[in-house]
Amino acid sequence: MTSTAGTSYTLIPNQKYRRSNRRSRQRCNILDTDSQSLSALGYFKTLPLEIFQMVLNYLSVKDISMLSMVSKTISNRLINYISTPSGNRRLLLQDFHNLELPGKREGSYILEHYKSLGLLLKRCTLLLPTKDRLKYIHKILSEVSCFKLNGCPSPLHCLGLQCYGVFLQILTAGWDELECHRVFNFLCELSNLPRKVQTVVSSKPGSARKLELRIRLYCRSVLLNHWIHRSDSAFWLTRILKPWPMVNQARLLYIIFGPVSSLNGHVVWQKMIEGPTDETSLKGLADAIKLLYDTEAREWTADDVISLVDELSVVPREWLMENNARLLILSGNNICFTFMASKAVNGRAAELARLMVFLALVCEKDLYCMDWTVKMMQKVCKVFSTPGERNNFLQCVENAFAHMVMDMLQAVLSGDRDEEDSSFLNLFHLVNAQANFHKEILYLTMRSNSNTV
């Protein structure tokens, strides 16, 4: 009994001691959390919040970005600072129309500022889910009207969309494709881009010129122009085009990359129809086609790209064959050959022969090597399954040369001359193209004969 009572007597105080120890540990944890929060601020813990924010006004955006990496506590304080009116005024510069700031290269200062701001917000929101990051950033940037698709009254003379583009490029660099899909969907929701695209691709070309211009500027400046790696550019261009049928993809591609007026920036829809154009008018389209044909654009097959080129050549109506040929040359050997091989496989020998003649004409006009055209014809000849089909194609090439010379000669003899006397000049180029084309074939034949002797 005595020992039992002693045992029970010694157990009760121990239980009380353990309970009181838990309470004391809870109090210690609270104190430790507060002290950790304060210690995470370092020397800034002695400063009132107002003084801390005044100190930030003396730091560059890059320095503030570095400071945000010190601790989560400081990062939270910086997020609060960015949301304040003084932080907004300091960080959201809006000199988008003042392109010549004193001592700065044209536009470079504000673009560099928004690159730094993109890095700052990337670091401050690092621990948030993508959806929350985008909502917070939209809340910060929503008051900047020049960041919106229809926000600026003078979009051709504004750097707003370019600043928004470099900001997004820095913000999303390194994000995986799923997150970038969310970013694109978020931007589409904010700008109502799909509905606006639907309007321009389903209406008569040029009937909504201002909207065409704004879509072009938004897609290029915000989504496409600032990427370093081709795979990133291909990803964003695919996001823009893929939701639409092929015929609308071609229209949209022309709106974004086609030729525009130097006076008002509006898309020139008749450029490819009314007469031969130059490389400058086609370079943007050719670069976009090459981008989609590259291996980085995993969602596009060769057939997809060739079909897109085919659709593009009738936007808004059938192009002049010379412009088709020039686009194929600018698009590169692989695309040019694949396009021509598809015609050979589908039995369109006469159309293919005429295209071959225009390739020779463009090479003559633009001073490309004519042996490239001959080598391309050799490759295409190998696509035909029988000697009869190949010989028919070669005969079609000669017939096409003859018919084109006669047509141009008739235009010269008719006496309808313009100021540049273009009909005679075209005939001159075509005759020279035919001579140089056959000269390269003779060289090739003589070399092969000498090798067999």
Side-chain angles (χ1 to χ4, degrees):
M1 291 290 293
T2 306
S3 63
T4 304
T7 302
S8 62
Y9 176 76
T10 57
L11 286 174
I12 294 173
N14 286 339
Q15 291 173 349
K16 288 182 179 179
Y17 173 77
R18 284 196 296 271
R19 285 198 299 271
S20 62
N21 187 38
R22 283 198 299 272
R23 289 171 183 162
S24 65
R25 278 204 301 268
Q26 290 172 356
R27 286 196 297 270
C28 289
N29 287 340
I30 295 171
L31 293 174
D32 287 345
T33 302
D34 292 341
S35 63
Q36 286 172 5
S37 177
L38 289 174
S39 64
L41 288 170
Y43 291 111
F44 290 116
K45 69 181 180 181
T46 61
L47 296 178
L49 181 60
E50 294 80 3
I51 303 299
F52 175 76
Q53 292 183 354
M54 289 176 65
V55 170
L56 295 179
N57 289 330
Y58 290 91
L59 300 179
S60 69
V61 181
K62 287 185 178 179
D63 291 336
I64 298 174
S65 176
M66 292 296 294
L67 183 62
S68 70
M69 302 291 286
V70 172
S71 69
K72 184 178 178 181
T73 306
I74 286 185
S75 180
N76 288 336
R77 285 207 174 187
L78 291 176
I79 288 176
N80 292 333
Y81 166 71
I82 294 169
S83 302
T84 63
S86 61
N88 261 252
R89 285 193 300 271
R90 165 78 195 287
L91 296 175
L92 297 183
L93 301 183
Q94 298 191 39
D95 295 319
F96 303 124
H97 304 90
N98 186 16
L99 303 184
E100 296 182 2
L101 297 175
K104 307 292 181 182
R105 287 191 296 111
E106 184 177 330
S108 63
Y109 168 73
I110 196 165
L111 288 171
E112 289 299 321
H113 172 82
Y114 275 95
K115 284 183 181 179
S116 301
L117 183 61
L119 186 59
L120 170 59
L121 290 179
K122 183 189 190 83
R123 289 171 170 173
C124 283
T125 61
L126 192 62
L127 300 178
L128 296 176
T130 301
K131 187 176 180 180
D132 294 338
R133 295 176 90 172
L134 294 174
K135 284 183 177 179
Y136 169 74
I137 290 166
H138 169 62
K139 181 181 177 183
I140 298 298
L141 303 181
S142 60
E143 299 303 316
V144 183
S145 61
C146 289
F147 285 174
K148 300 173 183 177
L149 191 147
N150 285 322
C152 180
S154 181
L156 280 177
H157 306 97
C158 177
L159 287 176
L161 292 180
Q162 292 185 51
C163 289
Y164 194 28
V166 297
F167 172 88
L168 286 173
Q169 187 266 324
I170 296 296
L171 176 72
T172 60
W175 289 18
D176 62 35
E177 284 197 3
L178 179 60
E179 291 174 313
C180 290
H181 272 280
R182 289 175 179 152
V183 173
F184 181 75
N185 293 335
F186 186 77
L187 291 173
C188 284
E189 185 178 345
L190 290 181
S191 62
N192 209 0
L193 183 62
R195 188 179 66 82
K196 291 178 170 61
V197 169
Q198 177 67 51
T199 299
V200 296
V201 298
S202 59
S203 58
K204 183 180 178 181
S207 61
R209 293 185 301 170
K210 291 183 179 179
L211 184 55
E212 290 170 356
L213 170 62
R214 289 188 179 275
I215 289 173
R216 179 189 177 97
L217 293 176
Y218 189 86
C219 289
R220 291 178 68 133
S221 298
V222 176
L223 301 175
L224 297 172
N225 282 357
H226 307 289
W227 298 104
I228 299 171
H229 302 294
R230 291 179 62 81
S231 57
D232 292 323
S233 300
F235 171 84
W236 290 99
L237 183 55
T238 300
R239 301 281 70 74
I240 294 170
L241 296 179
K242 271 296 183 180
W244 305 99
M246 188 68 69
V247 62
N248 290 342
Q249 288 178 15
R251 285 275 296 272
L252 188 53
L253 197 70
Y254 194 96
I255 288 171
I256 298 173
F257 296 106
V260 294
S261 168
S262 58
L263 298 176
N264 52 29
H266 293 158
V267 177
V268 183
W269 288 100
Q270 305 302 316
K271 186 81 169 180
M272 306 302 171
I273 302 165
E274 294 177 341
T277 188
D278 54 10
E279 291 184 4
T280 306
S281 299
L282 290 164
K283 189 177 185 305
L285 291 169
D287 289 343
I289 291 166
K290 285 191 285 188
L291 186 66
L292 298 178
Y293 193 83
D294 283 350
T295 54
E296 288 90 345
R298 297 188 300 274
E299 297 174 59
W300 297 83
T301 65
D303 287 342
D304 289 338
V305 178
I306 297 308
S307 297
L308 183 59
V309 174
D310 225 3
E311 286 289 348
L312 187 62
S313 67
V314 293
V315 172
R317 297 192 305 279
E318 187 174 358
W319 291 10
L320 294 182
M321 190 68 82
E322 182 177 330
N323 293 333
N324 266 332
R326 188 169 279 108
L327 176 65
L328 288 174
I329 291 174
L330 293 175
S331 298
N333 291 355
N334 291 334
I335 294 172
C336 184
F337 170 71
T338 306
F339 184 84
M340 298 178 76
S342 69
K343 292 188 180 298
V345 169
N346 292 316
R348 297 158 71 178
E351 184 180 341
L352 178 59
R354 195 160 180 268
L355 178 58
M356 185 62 66
V357 171
F358 276 102
L359 288 176
L361 179 60
V362 172
C363 284
E364 177 66 26
K365 281 187 171 183
D366 296 353
L367 304 179
Y368 296 131
C369 294
M370 191 61 73
D371 66 337
W372 174 87
T373 311
V374 174
K375 290 176 181 176
M376 184 61 68
M377 186 176 70
Q378 279 185 300
K379 288 182 66 176
V380 171
C381 282
K382 295 177 182 178
V383 176
F384 292 102
S385 55
T386 65
E389 290 178 341
R390 183 176 63 248
N391 292 339
N392 177 60
F393 165 66
L394 295 175
Q395 183 63 56
C396 287
V397 171
E398 294 306 314
N399 291 341
F401 265 118
H403 289 153
M404 284 182 59
V405 168
M406 294 303 296
D407 289 343
M408 289 187 181
L409 181 59
Q410 186 176 359
V412 171
L413 295 177
S414 66
D416 295 333
R417 306 285 180 87
D418 53 24
E419 292 182 1
E420 298 179 356
D421 205 5
S422 59
S423 57
F424 180 80
L425 194 59
N426 283 336
L427 177 61
F428 171 79
H429 284 306
L430 181 61
V431 171
N432 278 333
Q434 185 178 27
N436 288 326
F437 180 76
H438 287 105
K439 179 188 70 176
E440 293 297 335
I441 293 176
L442 289 173
Y443 285 163
L444 187 66
T445 304
M446 295 302 293
R447 280 196 298 267
S448 62
N449 287 341
S450 63
N451 290 335
T452 58
V453 174

